[in-house]
């Protein structure tokens, strides 16, 4: 009889130590060379076949002893450009790099899953492919490069997970449809006419124009989108001028748009253009708008989300599944779901040990969530390979 929970407990401490290694040695998107080296070393020790892909990524595979479907499991491996302030013995030693999104925990969960499946290999049906993906945090997406390298060739389904602080420890967050939004980016450059701050009548003030545009953008969701639809427009930065008494020539606004449908995405960007055009025309300024609409939304296939729920119900550890509403954060796991069916889920880590939000310098996970993630991931993969 396959005892997945016993395997998970056996390898839990090893997975935690590996997570701490990755937390101490984070690397930014596209620079994960030492992370790749460590992944390869561990796979080699386990006797799991692998090859390097997408520059700093790795693809590995375990074949079960019986025929079945081929299931992919993906983790991201890059860190954020942030100074780590977690205050633990495993605090980052790489200045300006920090696993403040939980990717170190994701790698630990996948490695723990690999050890479980490796232990049970002779009794398993199907094939299990493991994707260690670089560059999730930055454009261009590492998922696209990994797919181009053949990561999904012959794959019947794919699963993945994100350790998620807003979800309580011991809870697996599941959505049967929309889960994570498309994280689009825009930049508006306003060109006016600079001059002395004491004589604004001689200028076309790009800062004043930018301020009016920002106020206008903040009406899009409240006045143009149906309250039952999901959309976000947020301005994250504005840059203009270098001196207190000089009205500059230009101002630059940068922000993000989040949506789940092409209809809402198009509506929002059309409104951004209309509002910017009208305000600039009224002030005598000109503008350019650059957009990055790279990643689609993460929308789960309901059948595979139900498979995750069924796997959680079989778990022997003290966890439960909970249906959660969509979140407006983005994830390039969406690229895989556009190619093969599958689902993405949240592993709750919220506890007294994990109180800071993702992307905060003091963010940390409650490492008990790794055990839960290992068991759920292994059970789901085995279940899908047998269906």
């Amino acid at each position: 009889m396959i005892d997945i929970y016993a395997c998970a407990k056996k390898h839990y401490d090893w997975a935690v130590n590996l997570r701490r290694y990755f937390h101490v040695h984070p690397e930014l998107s596209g620079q994960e060379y030492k992370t790749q080296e460590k992944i390869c070393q561990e796979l080699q020790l386990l006797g799991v076949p692998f090859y390097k892909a997408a520059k700093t990524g790795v693809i590995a595979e375990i074949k079960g002893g019986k025929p079945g479907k081929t299931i992919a499991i993906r983790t991201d491996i890059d860190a954020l450009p942030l100074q780590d302030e977690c205050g633990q013995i495993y605090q980052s030693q790489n200045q300006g790099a920090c696993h403040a999104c939980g990717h170190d925990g994701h790698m630990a969960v996948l490695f723990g899953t690999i050890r479980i499946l490796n232990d049970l290999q002779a009794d398993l049906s199907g094939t299990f492919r493991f994707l260690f993906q670089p560059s999730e945090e930055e454009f261009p997406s590492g998922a696209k490069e990994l797919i181009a390298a053949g990561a999904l060739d012959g794959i019947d389904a794919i699963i993945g997970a994100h350790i998620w602080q807003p979800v309580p420890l011991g809870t697996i967050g599941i959505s049967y449809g929309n889960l994570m939004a498309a994280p689009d980016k825009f930049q508006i450059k306003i060109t006016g006419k600079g001059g002395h701050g004491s004589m604004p009548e001689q200028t076309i003030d790009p800062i004043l124009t930018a301020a009016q545009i920002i106020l206008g953008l903040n009406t899009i969701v409240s006045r143009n989108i149906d309250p039952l639809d999901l959309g976000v427009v947020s301005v994250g930065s504005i840059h203009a001028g270098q001196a207190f008494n000089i009205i500059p020539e230009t101002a630059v606004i940068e922000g993000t748009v989040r949506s789940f449908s092409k209809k809402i995405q198009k509506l929002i960007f059309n409104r951004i253009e209309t509002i910017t055009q009208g305000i600039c025309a009224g002030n005598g300024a000109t503008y350019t708008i650059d957009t990055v609409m790279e990643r689609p939304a993460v929308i789960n296939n309901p059948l595979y989300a139900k498979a995750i729920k069924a796997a959680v119900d079989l778990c022997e550890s003290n966890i439960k599944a909970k249906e959660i509403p969509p979140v407006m954060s983005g994830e390039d796991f969406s690229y895989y779901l556009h190619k093969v069916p599958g689902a993405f889920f949240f592993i709750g880590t919220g506890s007294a040990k994990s109180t800071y939000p993702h992307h905060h310098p003091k963010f940390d996970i409650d490492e008990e969530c790794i055990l839960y993630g290992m068991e759920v991931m292994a059970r789901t993969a085995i279940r899908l390979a047998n269906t």
Side-chain angles (χ1 to χ4, degrees), residues 18 43 49 119 128 168 178 189 197 225 233 251 290 306-307 327 363:
L18 198 54
L43 291 170
D119 283 356
F128 305 91
N178 291 342
K189 183 178 180 181
I225 295 179
V233 180
D290 292 321
K306 289 176 182 177
V327 301
F363 172 82

Side-chain angles (χ1 to χ4, degrees), residues 13 42 48 129 207 214 216 246 248 257 265 304 309 326 366 386:
D13 289 340
E42 295 297 331
V48 175
R129 188 175 299 167
I207 295 178
I214 291 170
I246 299 175
V257 171
Q265 182 187 56
Y304 294 89
K309 170 64 165 60
D366 187 322
N386 277 286

Side-chain angles (χ1 to χ4, degrees), residues 94 96 109 200 216 226 241 284:
N94 293 350
V109 168
D226 188 314

Side-chain angles (χ1 to χ4, degrees), residues 83-141:
Q83 193 65 35
D84 192 358
E85 298 177 9
C86 75
Q88 303 296 330
I89 58 173
Y90 47 79
Q91 184 165 305
S92 170
Q93 294 180 3
N94 293 350
Q95 293 294 312
C98 173
H99 273 298
C101 199
H103 296 188
D104 52 338
H106 300 170
M107 287 185 276
V109 168
L110 184 55
F111 263 114
T113 303
I114 289 171
R115 292 210 68 168
I116 294 170
L117 298 178
N118 209 31
D119 283 356
L120 305 174
Q121 181 177 8
D123 297 319
L124 297 178
S125 299
T127 299
F128 305 91
R129 188 175 299 167
F130 312 104
L131 312 181
F132 293 87
Q133 181 208 303
S135 301
E136 190 279 326
E137 294 288 356
E138 295 289 340
F139 298 118
S141 165

Side-chain angles (χ1 to χ4, degrees), residues 376-387:
V376 174
M377 195 70 81
R379 287 189 184 276
T380 303
I382 291 170
R383 185 180 188 88
L384 291 175
N386 277 286
T387 56

